[in-house]
Amino acid sequence: MSSVISEPGPHMGADPAHAALDSTPAAPRSSAVLCGQCHRAYLSPTDQPAAVIECPRCGAQARRDSLVSRAMITLPAALPGGGRSRAGWWWIGALALAVIVLGGVGAGLWWLQPASIRPWRTALSAPAPGAEEAETLAEAALTATRILASPDLDSARPLLLDAAQLTSLMDRYHARHPWQPVTLTGEPQGSVTQNNDRRLARLVMRTSHNTYLTLLLEETINGWKLDWEDLVKARQFAWEDFHQNPPAESVMLRVVARRGSATEAHFKGTGFTPETAVVVRLDGPQSGIPALAVVDKTSDLGRFLQRDLTWEQGRPYRCDLRMADPSLTPPRVDITRFVGEGWNTESERGLVRRQPTPTIP
């Protein structure tokens, strides 16, 4: 308990009637002192040196003359809000300041966020297609329109990319799928990519049958040419045709390779066993029509395949293949030459930008 020595108030001994009219005593002038235990300042209720006073915060008691004094301050007799403590008002002020500071910091961080997090800002700042790109797309679209409007394959062939190398495959494909003219309508959507000294255009265009075609064109020294392989998915057709009509000679095909397993029949006639050979499962661009190859583990190709292939992840290869035994399921093939890795159209052509998705009205 604190020992407080009271001082006479301003109305002690005054007229009772006067005291009734002014019952609130005036606030005494007191010194602020520093608590020796919690080191916080508080107002001393007296300035008498011998008085023992108590810290209102931690309860520590000490003689008045042993405490460090602070500057003189004056307190009102009553605080607003029904006697709310000074500590309460201090916390309210601190909380308000914190809200203001955090709000400002939060706003600043929001503006520093990537544009993808703020769609409306992205929409406002997204650059419109440049005039040069729009002109290039228009040129490529004009060529595509001329090609697809051709009455037959021979008329279109001069404007098809790598037509000389693909003559046999084109003829086989269109023998089963006769060429039909297609009319393109509307404005082209797409993108242009520069790959070394070549310009590549990926277009999405509407047809008169209210369908959409995705077209890949490449600019050559003879003008824009359409990638026929990409248009008709010729690589999958070539793989299916290899199974249905096995050629007598080896043919270069694009395949997806994984580790595989084979039966005794697949090893028969190869001179290899499961211990001396690596079995490779080959699929076309679309899985579902596999073939198996049995490769000597000690060969350069066998060592490469053991390092490169897994059971799960397919690897795109270009290989010369020969049908070795079509009677097996899956058929066994021989890899007569490993041409290289990778055949994806986008990487081969240098297209790295995401292609647009058409909006159907």
Side-chain angles (χ1 to χ4, degrees), residues 299-319:
S299 66
D300 291 340
L301 179 59
R303 286 191 291 268
F304 167 77
L305 294 173
Q306 290 179 80
R307 293 192 307 268
D308 201 48
L309 292 183
T310 67
W311 292 88
E312 299 82 13
Q313 185 64 41
R315 295 280 294 170
Y317 292 154
R318 288 164 290 148
C319 303

Side-chain angles (χ1 to χ4, degrees), residues 85-356:
S85 67
R86 288 174 292 124
W89 283 106
W90 187 90
W91 283 110
I92 291 174
L95 180 60
L97 180 61
V99 170
I100 294 173
V101 172
L102 290 178
V105 172
L109 291 177
W110 188 88
W111 283 101
L112 292 175
Q113 289 175 353
S116 59
I117 302 178
R118 294 174 272 117
W120 68 273
R121 285 182 58 81
T122 302
L124 292 176
S125 60
E132 182 178 352
E133 182 175 10
E135 182 179 353
T136 301
L137 289 175
E139 292 176 2
L142 180 61
T143 299
T145 301
R146 288 174 51 201
I147 295 171
L148 295 181
S150 300
D152 51 47
L153 175 61
D154 289 337
S155 300
R157 206 186 299 266
L159 293 177
L160 298 179
L161 192 64
D162 300 329
Q165 297 92 319
L166 298 172
T167 296
S168 175
L169 182 60
M170 285 183 182
D171 292 341
R172 296 200 308 273
Y173 178 86
H174 288 292
R176 300 186 196 178
H177 309 282
W179 179 278
Q180 297 291 334
V182 176
T183 301
L184 300 178
T185 62
E187 295 294 325
Q189 302 179 47
S191 61
V192 178
T193 304
Q194 187 78 26
N195 184 27
N196 297 326
D197 58 344
R198 301 176 301 156
R199 286 193 298 177
L200 307 166
R202 171 72 79 178
L203 304 177
V204 178
M205 298 193 67
R206 187 174 182 175
T207 74
S208 57
H209 298 292
N210 202 30
T211 59
Y212 286 85
L213 288 178
T214 301
L215 309 170
L216 175 61
L217 293 97
E218 179 177 327
E219 189 178 35
T220 69
I221 58 174
N222 296 317
W224 287 97
K225 293 198 174 184
L226 177 66
D227 190 323
W228 172 85
E229 284 187 285
D230 184 69
L231 174 65
V232 303
K233 311 303 180 208
R235 293 165 180 175
Q236 180 65 21
F237 169 79
W239 180 251
E240 296 173 0
D241 188 57
F242 175 73
H243 281 257
Q244 297 169 5
N245 304 288
E249 303 295 330
S250 296
V251 58
M252 200 278 286
L253 294 169
R254 292 169 172 85
V255 297
V256 177
R258 297 178 178 83
R259 284 290 189 100
S261 57
T263 65
E264 292 183 4
H266 287 92
F267 286 100
K268 186 177 181 180
T270 64
F272 301 116
T273 66
E275 290 74 27
T276 61
V278 55
V279 177
V280 183
R281 175 192 167 111
L282 303 172
D283 279 284
Q286 300 174 11
S287 61
I289 308 177
L292 294 180
V294 179
V295 181
D296 181 6
K297 281 185 176 180
T298 62
S299 66
D300 291 340
L301 179 59
R303 286 191 291 268
F304 167 77
L305 294 173
Q306 290 179 80
R307 293 192 307 268
D308 201 48
L309 292 183
T310 67
W311 292 88
E312 299 82 13
Q313 185 64 41
R315 295 280 294 170
Y317 292 154
R318 288 164 290 148
C319 303
D320 284 350
L321 300 180
R322 182 180 64 85
M323 185 64 73
D325 193 341
S327 65
L328 298 174
T329 304
R332 181 170 62 81
V333 299
D334 290 333
I335 302 176
T336 58
R337 184 171 68 105
F338 181 79
V339 179
E341 303 176 61
W343 48 260
N344 179 269
T345 298
E346 304 298 312
S347 60
E348 284 183 318
R349 300 302 186 194
L351 292 171
V352 295
R353 294 172 55 178
R354 186 177 181 181
Q355 307 309 325

Side-chain angles (χ1 to χ4, degrees), residues 5-86:
I5 301 177
S6 301
E7 296 180 347
H11 299 290
M12 295 182 68
D15 180 57
H18 187 197
L21 292 175
D22 190 6
S23 60
T24 303
R29 293 178 62 85
S30 304
S31 299
V33 294
L34 192 66
C35 177
Q37 180 168 310
C38 67
H39 305 290
R40 295 184 180 181
Y42 66 93
L43 290 181
S44 170
T46 179
D47 287 333
Q48 293 188 12
V52 177
I53 60 176
E54 180 179 303
C55 175
R57 298 178 182 271
C58 67
Q61 297 182 0
R63 282 174 56 98
R64 173 64 182 81
D65 57 3
S66 68
L67 298 174
V68 179
S69 299
R70 289 290 184 260
M72 297 290 292
I73 59 174
T74 302
L75 283 180
L79 293 172
R84 183 177 291 139
S85 67
R86 288 174 292 124

